Amino acid sequence: IVEPMQSIHADLTNSADKQRIEETLVILDGLDKFMFTLVQVLCQDSFHAFMREIVHFLPWSWTFFYAYIAIACLVLMNLVTAIIVEHAMEQSNLDHEQLDVERTA
């Protein structure tokens, strides 16, 4: 996303658009800033504001962000839920085994 934005920035002649893209590149330029932006998207913390700016210049970029949300939020949160449920089932089985031991004693 950063490279196409930088390419568009180099080709722009309109100063208003050039300033808009420069402000957007500030939050995307560099791995640390891009990772922070992805965490913001993952937490769904007001990411539509900068996403609209990016979509203005790269119309296909919304697919990247929504695919990231689908994978990160939905799949990873389902994985966390599955781990919690698995732990609860193991604990339930241990409780039933302990109850059986107490009944036979």
Side-chain angles (χ1 to χ4, degrees), residues 56-70:
H56 177 76
F57 297 103
L58 298 172
W60 56 266
S61 65
W62 67 271
T63 58
F64 172 79
F65 289 107
Y66 284 116
Y68 176 74
I69 291 171

Side-chain angles (χ1 to χ4, degrees), residues 66-86:
Y66 284 116
Y68 176 74
I69 291 171
I71 292 168
C73 290
L74 301 177
V75 174
L76 293 179
M77 290 304 119
N78 283 334
L79 180 64
V80 168
T81 303
I83 291 170
I84 292 170
V85 168
E86 179 67 24

Side-chain angles (χ1 to χ4, degrees), residues 24-42:
T24 305
L25 280 170
V26 167
I27 64 170
L28 298 175
D29 198 24
L31 183 62
D32 56 339
K33 293 177 183 177
F34 192 70
M35 292 300 292
F36 185 80
T37 302
L38 288 179
V39 169
Q40 186 176 358
V41 171
L42 179 64

Side-chain angles (χ1 to χ4, degrees), residues 9 11-21 56-57:
H9 178 265
D11 295 339
L12 283 176
T13 56
N14 183 349
S15 63
D17 280 345
K18 203 165 188 114
Q19 179 157 355
R20 284 176 68 186
I21 205 165
H56 177 76
F57 297 103

